[in-house]
Amino acid sequence: MMKMAIDTEDWEEEMNTAQIVKPYMDRIVLDYLVTEGKLEAAHIFMEESLTQAQIQLVDERITKRVAIVEAIKAGDLNFAKEELSAFKPEILRNFHLLKQQFIELIREERHNDAFDFAQLHLKPFHEDMAFLKQVEEVMSLLVFENISTCPVKDFLGESQWLKTASEVNAAILSSFGKGPKLQRLLKKLTLNQKQLDERAYEYPRMSDMSTGELIYPEE
């Protein structure tokens, strides 16, 4: 089916009329830094950009969240769980946090405990195929005597701790009904482009959101 083309010149003219002021962009950057727990960077950014923030950086909810996330990044699950128990106990049931505990039992070669843990804590997620696939992948660690030859050995690496920390951070933010403004803007952009695609329009499409690169329709 022939797609309807939106005139490129008209598109660019509309884009050029958009007024995006620096204080607005500064607040988005600051919001991102705070929600990602980068408080030192947030303080420096506020000073250098002269941003008049409406964000309270010295806030118990922020400092608690950051402490929990940093503990997970450092591999200190016990501290993270203790803090969550008093701060946000419902997050203790987060799949990604439970998966990390499962991985640690396997790392410590406590295989019987790992199976029991999976039955008790991970089995309730079995109806979600995406979660079930992840559990099965982690369990494949048990098959290999030499972990270095295991195709999913990255579960035992530092990157897995960072992923778990990111997921827990997102879960805590979600429990407060909050997330990075930048993330919400990108989701809105993705939705708008999807709607244009469904309506069979050709338009300058943003193909790489990390660079803002546009792909223009062929003349």
Side-chain angles (χ1 to χ4, degrees):
M1 183 177 68
M2 183 70 73
K3 287 190 173 183
M4 296 177 287
I6 296 177
D7 185 80
T8 299
E9 290 186 4
D10 290 343
W11 183 279
E12 291 184 342
E13 186 176 340
E14 287 292 330
M15 287 183 62
N16 290 332
T17 61
Q19 298 295 320
I20 304 176
V21 296
K22 184 178 181 297
Y24 175 75
M25 295 299 296
D26 288 343
R27 285 196 297 272
I28 288 179
V29 172
L30 181 61
D31 174 83
Y32 176 79
L33 292 173
V34 173
T35 53
E36 288 299 308
K38 304 180 187 298
L39 299 189
E40 183 178 354
H43 278 289
I44 294 172
F45 181 79
M46 283 179 63
E47 292 175 1
E48 293 183 350
S49 64
L50 302 178
T51 303
Q52 297 298 316
Q54 296 178 346
I55 300 173
Q56 175 57 262
L57 298 186
V58 183
D59 182 294
E60 184 181 8
R61 296 198 306 183
I62 295 175
T63 53
K64 282 279 190 183
R65 174 170 57 84
V66 171
I68 291 165
V69 171
E70 290 302 314
I72 295 173
K73 288 180 181 178
D76 192 345
L77 271 182
N78 289 332
F79 177 83
K81 287 166 60 181
E82 287 175 6
E83 291 296 299
L84 281 169
S85 181
F87 177 56
K88 275 287 177 181
E90 66 270 24
I91 306 299
L92 291 170
R93 299 189 295 275
N94 176 269
F95 171 78
H96 301 282
L97 183 62
L98 292 170
K99 185 177 77 170
Q100 188 68 56
Q101 294 175 70
F102 182 44
I103 290 171
E104 294 314 298
L105 290 171
I106 294 175
R107 189 198 305 273
E108 295 167 7
E109 298 185 356
R110 295 166 56 188
H111 296 166
N112 288 336
D113 290 339
F115 279 118
D116 291 342
F117 184 89
Q119 283 289 321
L120 181 61
H121 298 290
L122 294 175
K123 190 174 181 180
F125 295 95
H126 76 281
E127 293 183 359
D128 188 310
M129 293 305 296
F131 288 159
L132 179 61
K133 184 174 183 296
Q134 291 184 54
V135 173
E136 291 174 345
E137 287 177 343
V138 174
M139 291 192 72
S140 67
L141 290 169
L142 297 168
V143 178
F144 291 80
E145 291 185 7
N146 184 358
I147 294 297
S148 64
T149 63
C150 180
V152 293
K153 62 183 179 182
D154 287 349
F155 281 131
L156 298 176
E158 182 182 358
S159 63
Q160 179 58 40
W161 285 106
L162 298 179
K163 289 178 184 177
T164 302
S166 178
E167 293 289 352
V168 170
N169 185 47
I172 295 173
L173 288 169
S174 179
S175 73
F176 288 123
K178 181 174 174 55
K181 291 180 181 177
L182 180 59
Q183 186 181 60
R184 296 198 297 271
L185 289 171
L186 289 176
K187 285 183 177 180
K188 185 176 181 180
L189 173 59
T190 301
L191 176 61
N192 289 341
Q193 289 196 153
K194 182 179 179 182
Q195 290 174 339
L196 285 171
D197 292 338
E198 291 173 348
R199 295 172 184 175
Y201 280 109
E202 283 190 345
Y203 59 95
R205 197 175 199 285
M206 189 174 291
S207 59
D208 187 343
M209 294 187 186
S210 65
T211 63
E213 180 183 358
L214 295 175
I215 294 180
Y216 288 86
E218 296 181 3
E219 298 293 339

